[in-house]
């Protein structure tokens, strides 16, 4: 295995470690993204009642939902891209 392949595998292994998003982490991410339950549900492609279950601790996000949350937390600018947002008038990237 080459050094480059080894580094890529290490990066994938690191990325495979996904945090457990408990109620406080879900709420903190919603706050970071400036979203309410309905908006976050749309972003996550789930029902608002599912977000309520996550934020109350009555249910845990599945693996895919946790991975999406990790992506949004790491790169919140992606949310604007998903929503079809336009870049700021001054030309900066979000």
């Amino acid at each position: 295995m080459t050094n480059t392949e080894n580094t890529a595998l290490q990066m994938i292994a690191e990325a495979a470690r996904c945090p457990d998003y408990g109620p406080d982490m879900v709420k903190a991410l919603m706050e970071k993204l400036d979203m309410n339950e309905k908006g976050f549900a749309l972003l996550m492609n789930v029902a608002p009642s599912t977000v309520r279950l996550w934020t109350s601790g009555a249910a845990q996000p599945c693996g895919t939902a946790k991975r999406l949350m990790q992506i949004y937390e790491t790169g919140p600018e992606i949310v604007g891209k998903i929503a079809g947002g336009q870049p700021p008038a001054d030309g900066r990237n979000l």
Side-chain angles (χ1 to χ4, degrees), residues 74-88:
T74 305
E77 68 280 358
I78 258 178
V79 175
K81 292 178 182 180
I82 290 170
Q86 298 298 316

Side-chain angles (χ1 to χ4, degrees), residues 18 54 60-69:
C18 194
W54 293 341
Q60 291 290 315
C62 69
T64 304
K66 290 190 292 186
R67 178 66 74 205
L68 279 174
M69 289 184 215

Side-chain angles (χ1 to χ4, degrees), residues 5 7 11 14-15 25 28 35 42 51 58 63 66 72 80 84-85 92:
E5 287 176 298
T7 302
M11 288 174 55
E14 268 306 306
M25 286 182 74
M35 291 190 162
L42 286 169
V51 175
K66 290 190 292 186
Y72 297 144
R92 289 181 300 129

Side-chain angles (χ1 to χ4, degrees), residues 31-92:
E31 188 173 315
K32 179 178 186 172
L33 299 175
D34 194 24
M35 291 190 162
N36 60 20
E37 276 182 3
K38 186 175 181 180
F40 193 66
L42 286 169
L43 179 68
M44 295 297 297
N45 200 33
V46 298
S49 59
T50 300
V51 175
R52 276 192 294 283
L53 291 171
W54 293 341
T55 58
S56 71
Q60 291 290 315
C62 69
T64 304
K66 290 190 292 186
R67 178 66 74 205
L68 279 174
M69 289 184 215
Q70 182 185 30
I71 291 166
Y72 297 144
E73 186 170 23
T74 305
E77 68 280 358
I78 258 178
V79 175
K81 292 178 182 180
I82 290 170
Q86 298 298 316
D90 64 6
R92 289 181 300 129

